[in-house]
Structure formats: C-alpha cells, structure tokens
Amino acid sequence: MQTKLKTSGYRILINGKPLPANFISLITQISVQQELNVPSMFTISLTDLSFNQPGWQGIELDTFKPGDIISIAMGIEHYETLFIGQITALEPSFSNEAMLEVRGYDCMYWLKFGKYSRSFIKKTDGEIVAQIAKEVGIDVQVENTPLVNAYVLQNDQSNYDFLLQRLAQINYEMLVDGKKLIFRSSQEGMTPVKELRYPAEVSDLNLRLKVSTEGNKLTVVGWDVGKKQVVKAEVDSPSTKAKMGGQATGDSLASR
C-alpha cells in the first residue's frame, strides 16, 4: 500500500525569474488581498533570525526593487497564479532580528496616478474605459455597454475615482485578471463560480445575514440643462439580482 501525500506550496517570480533559493527559507508570510473595484495588494514578509549572530551573511535588499514585476502562485500540487503586479514599497527593519516586508499592487493601481479634467463626447462607457486603459498602458477586456453617452465629464479626478463613479452609474464592476483589467456588469446575485469546502479549504468562516433598513423606494432628482426643468425618476421594486437566488428581497421580508 502506497500513501500519496499532498502538500500546499507557493511560487514567486521576480521579473519572470524564480525568487533566489536563499530567500525561500526567510519567508514567514505571503498575503494576497483581492476585492472588486479595488487594486489587489500583496505582502511578502521575510525574517532572518540569524541577525547579529556570528557569520551572518546579510539580506541582499537589491533583490527587490520598486517597479519589479512580482508573480505569486499558490496551490496543492498544481499552482494557480493569484497575483501579478509591481513592487511599490520595501520596509526593512533591524532589531533583534532582520525583517523585510515587500508590498505592491496590480495594474489597477496605475489608474490612481494624476488628476484629469476632460470630457468624453458620444462614447459608451466601454469606449471610455478602453481609452483610459490604453493611455496608462493596461490591457483591457470590456463587456458591451450599448448606451452612448452624449457628454461625460471627468472633473479634476484620477482615472480610478472617475471610473468608480461610472461603475456606480451603470451597475458595473472592475477587477484585474493577470495583467488585464476587466470591466463587466455586476455579478451580484449570480451563482458562485467556485465552491469552497469547510474545513478542508477554509480555516475560518464568519457570515452575517440581515434585512435592509434603508427603505424600499428610491427617488433620484436631476436637472435637464437643455429643457431647464427638473428630471425625476422613482424605483419601488428592487432588481431580481437583490434576491441573490432567494424568493424575496430583503425589503419585502423586513416589511412583513
């Protein structure tokens, strides 16, 4: 009888090359944080306990440089790439032990640089996103946005803040897959793309379910510059996405 043991592992590449072997034993933690509409972030923590000991060889800080491309993959027997981005910060500290923290973000972070004032005339939101992504050097995958905007103003905003505003307007979301920015309609309420088993794949799980307390009617008021009159729209029935696979919305449950 032969027992097959499966162990988890990771792989880190710097500018396409494996992390030097002498750094592997120093890694104490690898963290990748991912969230919709927010630049993904990684942190690699290294600790050398032999600091101040005879024969200490030191840490080659030049191994990591701001702007270097970092790729992090994790898995059990088969690695899945979780993050591709750039180093943006190095934090070495020396006390009883030598420590180094390496941090960085994916390419969505590039949208945060600078503020712009400009207008987009007769363009869909998809075309606007594609134009901005090309300007900052990001590959982009845009879901069709059929509505053509007569006029959209970016008023002294970073590209990131401006796109967040557009996302809220049309119920879209953005994320980064590898080196590509994805701009798509909200996936809220859709079936999960992956199921996680507890406790085999998840060590801690905390959930909360509560009904909405913000009311069941929404009124939006605007101003039509051309006709010089108030424009008003009201919605009193949530979208089916708000049910998230259930039979009723939170508003309807709360009102009973």
Side-chain angles (χ1 to χ4, degrees):
M1 180 177 177
Q2 184 177 5
T3 301
K4 186 177 181 181
L5 178 64
K6 295 183 178 180
T7 60
S8 60
Y10 61 85
R11 181 179 62 208
I12 300 175
L13 302 179
I14 303 179
N15 296 324
K17 298 180 180 180
L19 182 70
N22 60 313
F23 279 88
I24 299 298
S25 61
L26 303 181
I27 294 177
T28 57
Q29 180 176 323
I30 301 173
S31 172
V32 176
Q33 301 176 36
Q34 297 176 321
E35 186 177 345
L36 286 174
N37 305 330
V38 177
S40 295
M41 176 182 176
F42 84 91
T43 303
I44 301 175
S45 300
L46 304 98
T47 302
D48 192 343
L49 298 177
S50 63
F51 180 60
N52 283 333
Q53 299 296 320
W56 184 65
Q57 299 298 315
I59 296 179
E60 294 293 336
L61 296 180
D62 286 346
T63 301
F64 304 96
K65 300 182 182 66
D68 283 350
I69 303 298
I70 288 285
S71 174
I72 299 175
M74 297 182 184
I76 299 177
E77 295 193 340
H78 174 71
Y79 292 124
E80 292 286 345
T81 299
L82 299 181
F83 177 92
I84 298 177
Q86 286 185 309
I87 295 176
T88 61
L90 298 172
E91 298 182 4
S93 61
F94 302 91
S95 182
N96 294 326
E97 53 195 27
M99 303 179 65
L100 174 63
E101 190 166 275
V102 185
R103 293 187 286 109
Y105 297 91
D106 64 17
C107 60
M108 192 187 297
Y109 179 69
W110 300 350
L111 298 172
K112 288 178 169 285
F113 289 88
K115 291 187 177 182
Y116 304 86
S117 294
R118 56 180 168 177
S119 58
F120 299 89
I121 309 297
K122 294 183 179 180
K123 289 182 178 291
T124 66
D125 282 282
E127 291 172 334
I128 293 173
V129 173
Q131 176 181 328
I132 291 176
K134 183 178 180 180
E135 291 173 354
V136 299
I138 303 176
D139 293 332
V140 65
Q141 177 181 320
V142 179
E143 186 177 302
N144 182 40
T145 52
L147 178 64
V148 178
N149 302 290
Y151 177 84
V152 176
L153 176 64
Q154 183 177 358
N155 185 20
D156 192 31
Q157 295 171 292
S158 68
N159 289 324
Y160 177 74
D161 290 334
F162 171 66
L163 290 182
L164 283 185
Q165 188 180 67
R166 299 310 305 165
L167 291 172
Q169 290 278 348
I170 62 176
N171 194 30
Y172 266 54
E173 62 190 23
M174 62 181 177
L175 67 154
V176 170
D177 183 8
K179 298 179 181 179
K180 181 179 294 184
L181 179 70
I182 297 176
F183 187 80
R184 68 187 186 189
S185 58
S186 173
Q187 306 296 291
E188 180 186 1
M190 298 181 65
T191 55
V193 295
K194 180 175 177 58
E195 294 183 358
L196 296 177
R197 297 172 298 168
Y198 177 86
E201 298 173 313
V202 180
S203 60
D204 297 283
L205 182 63
N206 297 285
L207 304 174
R208 175 184 295 178
L209 174 64
K210 65 177 183 178
V211 297
S212 173
T213 58
E214 297 181 357
N216 56 8
K217 184 176 181 179
L218 174 66
T219 301
V220 178
V221 180
W223 177 258
D224 188 322
V225 178
K227 296 181 179 180
K228 292 182 171 51
Q229 64 183 28
V230 174
V231 179
K232 181 183 294 186
E234 294 184 353
V235 176
D236 57 9
S237 58
S239 68
T240 55
K241 288 184 178 181
K243 298 179 182 179
M244 299 185 70
Q247 300 299 316
T249 65
D251 291 323
S252 62
L253 292 171
S255 61
R256 293 178 181 177

